[in-house]
Amino acid sequence: MAGSIAIDGPAGAGKSTIARKVAQELGFIYVDTGAMYRAMALYMLKNGIGADESEKVAGSCKEADITIKHENNEQVVYLNGENVNGLIRTEEVGNMTSAISVNAAVREKLVELQQKLAEKTDVVMDGRDIGTVVLPGADLKVYLTASSRVRAERRYKELVAKKIDCNLEEIEKDIIDRDYRDMHRDISPLKQADDAVFLDSSDMTIEEVKDKIIELYKGV
């Protein structure tokens, strides 16, 4: 039986960084759900389907088989058997991803693929609805969060390090607004699963959070 860890939480809580580290230490596959959406967007572009053609998008997504493997310490995304790592990070794919990710049929198909992946291999997944929708039977569910101020400060430091002009108050406002949208969207809103462990990382380092999640998993 494959092992599974679901990590949910708001933007800026460090979910992806933590999930990768947990997966690496446990020898699990980190399932980058965002990369799977990008692969689906690439499929639409390859087939000449426009972002505004919602019915065609809904019909065509059923033909896309997307999976993730770890090869030579690298995450490899496969679209119908083809390694598409070098194709899914373009701006064109990014724009298409934003457009199709709200399509209910696309979300349904990707949830199905993510669940299929979790049946066959040990996984760590992060997102907004992993514990509530994608992996409701996960061995461990964690709701990882931090105060809006701490998340804004983290983002501010990242941008300053890249020499990008930014305003801390505006970043925090954007985070609060995004939290509201994520928690009130119609499809799979962000919420803590009833059986998830609440983990506030505001005063914790990445290593401390990683160690805590591994401790929780080993205690399941």
Side-chain angles (χ1 to χ4, degrees), residues 48-207:
I49 297 168
D52 55 344
E53 297 178 285
S54 56
E55 285 186 17
K56 280 191 178 181
V57 168
S60 298
C61 71
K62 297 176 177 63
E63 308 302 319
D65 183 49
I66 299 161
T67 193
I68 291 177
K69 296 179 182 178
H70 269 228
E71 298 172 359
N72 301 318
N73 293 320
E74 181 189 24
Q75 173 186 282
V76 181
V77 183
Y78 284 95
L79 169 61
N80 291 337
E82 178 191 359
N83 178 341
V84 293
N85 269 20
L87 304 174
I88 60 173
R89 299 296 174 185
T90 66
E91 190 172 349
E92 184 183 21
V93 169
N95 290 337
M96 177 63 96
T97 304
S98 297
I100 67 163
S101 62
V102 296
N103 189 302
V106 168
R107 295 190 68 85
E108 189 178 316
K109 174 64 177 178
L110 282 165
V111 166
E112 175 195 317
L113 290 170
Q114 288 153 13
Q115 289 172 335
K116 192 163 72 172
L117 192 56
E119 285 172 10
K120 297 183 293 186
T121 187
D122 299 324
V123 298
V124 181
M125 284 192 207
D126 71 282
R128 305 286 190 280
D129 61 352
I130 307 301
T132 53
V133 176
V134 183
L135 298 179
D139 298 321
L140 173 66
K141 299 177 191 175
V142 174
Y143 188 84
L144 181 65
T145 190
S147 70
S148 59
R149 190 65 176 189
V150 166
R151 286 183 283 143
E153 286 169 352
R154 290 172 182 168
R155 182 64 179 149
Y156 178 79
K157 286 174 186 173
E158 285 175 9
L159 294 171
V160 167
K162 294 175 181 175
K163 296 184 167 49
I164 297 171
D165 190 35
C166 55
N167 178 284
L168 181 59
E169 303 302 328
E170 287 177 9
I171 292 171
E172 184 175 15
K173 183 182 181 303
D174 287 345
I175 283 173
I176 292 168
D177 289 346
R178 183 169 178 181
D179 285 353
Y180 183 86
R181 288 196 304 272
D182 284 345
M183 290 173 180
H184 292 83
R185 67 190 187 190
D186 292 333
I187 302 172
S188 300
L190 167 66
K191 63 180 179 180
Q192 181 179 345
D194 293 339
D195 52 349
V197 176
F198 182 87
L199 195 53
D200 189 326
S201 69
S202 297
D203 299 315
M204 298 173 75
T205 66
I206 287 171
E207 287 300 308

